[in-house]
Amino acid sequence: MSRRYDTIIFDLDGTLLNTLEDLADGVNAALKHFGRPERTLDEVRQFVGNGVLNLMDRAVPEGKEAKDFQAIYEWFKAYYAAHSEVKTRAYDGIPELLKQLQAEHFKMAIVSNKFHDAVCQLSRCYFGELLPVSIGENEAAGIRKKPAPDTVFTALERLGSTVEHAVYIGDSEVDAATARNAGMDCILVSWGFRERELLASFKPMAIADKPADILEILSHQ
């Protein structure tokens, strides 16, 4: 019997990796360096999801209107690039999930709003060859970031797959919107950066409460 999906597009932060503490540490290091008040972990949790430019826009009190905003942003990017693997870890059960999906011959990719070099670095560090396609933010090249579907379509093209046979897995409103804009089915995970009740309001195909749930959900499609 043929299965409905042969391809999975994963979000990264809050879905595969718990990156929140390293992001918060980087945000606060930048804010402190430029004489701004630091942010709580929960504040940073609410700020993430739309890429690091928007993360810093929300974290800096004056936002992008700050005269030194570009300097703060560039300082954060450099700091985070050098400190992105200090506290970051894969969520429990994620490596096992990816190995099982690989064994079942699913095509898999990461699509993230984190800057591209960091996405590739983190994917190699934590997942090795399990996720052969990793795509981050690259709007300078004219590729719109999520929730636009551009990076998802790029991943599908590189995997040799189609929207009809792919499912998107993420943890936020940005991910739900990305899947919708790409015309893909969506599974949201409750262990990430958003509350389960909020995720349910986006009406995904399913909500996974632990990585093993994803295998169960896919087996019934």
Side-chain angles (χ1 to χ4, degrees):
M1 185 177 73
S2 62
R3 62 192 181 195
R4 183 175 177 183
Y5 307 111
D6 62 15
T7 303
I8 302 173
I9 307 297
F10 286 102
D11 171 54
L12 182 61
D13 297 51
T15 301
L16 299 178
L17 293 179
N18 187 348
T19 56
L20 187 60
E21 289 189 71
D22 280 337
L23 283 168
D25 288 351
V27 165
N28 284 328
L31 292 174
K32 184 176 180 180
H33 184 80
F34 286 89
R36 302 308 203 282
E38 295 184 23
R39 296 291 193 168
T40 67
L41 192 65
D42 195 56
E43 282 179 314
V44 176
R45 182 195 308 276
Q46 300 306 317
F47 294 161
V48 299
N50 288 92
V52 292
L53 181 64
N54 284 316
L55 166 62
M56 294 310 295
D57 179 33
R58 294 161 180 166
V60 175
E62 317 95 304
K64 293 176 186 174
E65 300 304 312
K67 291 182 179 179
D68 55 353
F69 178 79
Q70 192 63 32
I72 299 172
Y73 173 59
E74 295 297 339
W75 197 96
F76 165 79
K77 284 205 302 181
Y79 183 94
Y80 182 72
H83 300 86
S84 64
E85 300 160 22
V86 179
K87 298 176 182 176
T88 289
R89 62 176 181 80
Y91 287 103
D92 292 344
I94 285 295
E96 293 81 2
L97 169 68
L98 296 179
K99 288 173 185 174
Q100 183 61 39
L101 291 170
Q102 184 187 60
E104 295 182 17
H105 305 292
F106 279 92
K107 303 172 187 176
M108 295 184 287
I110 291 172
V111 169
S112 172
N113 276 345
K114 190 189 295 290
F115 44 100
H116 183 71
D117 289 349
V119 173
C120 294
Q121 177 183 333
L122 289 168
S123 179
R124 283 192 303 269
C125 176
Y126 290 93
F127 306 120
E129 302 301 316
L130 288 171
L131 292 152
V133 173
S134 299
I135 298 173
E137 185 274 320
N138 190 17
E139 290 198 306
I143 301 169
R144 295 174 299 169
K145 63 183 173 68
K146 301 185 299 183
D150 302 30
T151 48
V152 172
F153 292 156
T154 299
L156 291 173
E157 182 178 1
R158 288 177 59 182
L159 290 171
S161 190
T162 63
V163 165
E164 293 76 18
H165 295 102
V167 62
Y168 185 100
I169 300 179
D171 74 304
S172 74
E173 64 278 6
V174 174
D175 296 312
T178 301
R180 183 170 60 250
N181 292 337
M184 290 172 63
D185 289 331
C186 179
I187 298 170
L188 294 177
V189 306
S190 65
W191 57 79
F193 298 163
R194 299 290 187 267
E195 298 296 325
R196 198 182 198 282
E197 292 75 15
L198 179 64
L199 300 180
S201 73
F202 305 134
K203 297 180 170 52
M205 178 179 78
I207 295 177
D209 294 313
K210 57 184 185 299
D213 290 347
I214 292 172
L215 292 170
E216 184 71 13
I217 293 163
L218 292 173
S219 72
H220 287 91
Q221 299 302 316

